[in-house]
Amino acid sequence: MKKTASLFSVPYLLWLLLFVVAPVLMLLYQSFFDISGNFTLDNYGTFFSSWTYLRMSFNSVLYAAIITLVTLLISYPTAYLLTRLKHKQLWLMLVILPTWVNLLLKAYVFDGDFWYEQGGINAFLGFFGIAPMQILFTDFSFIFVASYIEIPFMILPIFNALDDLDENIVNASKDLGANDWQTFTKVIFPLSLNGVRSGVQSVFIPSLSLFMLTRLIGGNRVITLGTAIEQHFLTTQNWGMGATIGVVLIAAMIATMWLTKEKRQ
């Protein structure tokens, strides 16, 4: 039995080695070379001493935190409502359905909707006599679209955590005299924190490295580390600096996972 289990784990271990461990090691290796191919540690010195890169890092964390907060505020009540519906699995599938659509396609749809005069949003506002507004290429449009795309990844783990709650515990709190708000704050929310942590990881970590949406929706107003990596690898050809930023992002993602991990009693 153990031999069979070990045999089945081989494809997973190979996939992990080839597509996770090896790329990270290659990225780490490349970060120690400059644009001329010479070994150097200056890439890390440049990153941590440059106000431009530090500002990009701050912007990346700030945007990721805002996107995570927005998705959490929308997703938790939505997930709670879904668990109370009769056909909750069907409604959950409808929530997840947009993730089947290609990310680039969804970005282009919003790109058209947010366009200054011909966009659907401004056309709708025109019926109320509101003049066309510049929605595309703003912080608002970037956060709005990124939050929309990430919402299903926040809803799913929270829904699973809430759906697994023992109703007897909730009923017991009410029998002991707790009102609805006390039941939620003292029983339901604490017991669903694992789902919240998983949701935060699923949203915050990818949001740190967004670069396609920053181009299509945010324009040049939204500059993050993901944008810098794209520029270094595709435009300036400074792969060493791009790899350095990638290593910093991976370290930030690992730190996020550690900070949001389940707390063991």
Side-chain angles (χ1 to χ4, degrees), residues 78-86 88 158-160 162-163:
T78 303
Y80 185 81
L81 177 63
L82 287 175
T83 59
R84 296 297 183 265
L85 297 178
K86 183 176 181 181
K88 54 187 176 182
I158 296 177
F159 172 86
N160 290 332
L162 291 172
D163 196 43

Side-chain angles (χ1 to χ4, degrees), residues 106-125:
K106 288 188 285 189
Y108 274 118
V109 169
F110 279 106
D111 189 281
D113 285 338
F114 287 153
W115 198 253
Y116 180 63
E117 292 184 352
Q118 292 79 20
I121 302 297
N122 276 314
F124 175 76
L125 294 176

Side-chain angles (χ1 to χ4, degrees), residues 26-27 45 50 53 67 109 113 128 131 143 163 184 204 217 227 243-244 256 259:
M26 292 173 63
L27 199 67
S50 171
Y53 289 120
I67 292 168
V109 169
D113 285 338
F128 302 95
I143 294 171
D163 196 43
F184 175 77
F204 185 84
I217 306 298
T227 310
T244 301
T256 302
L259 290 172

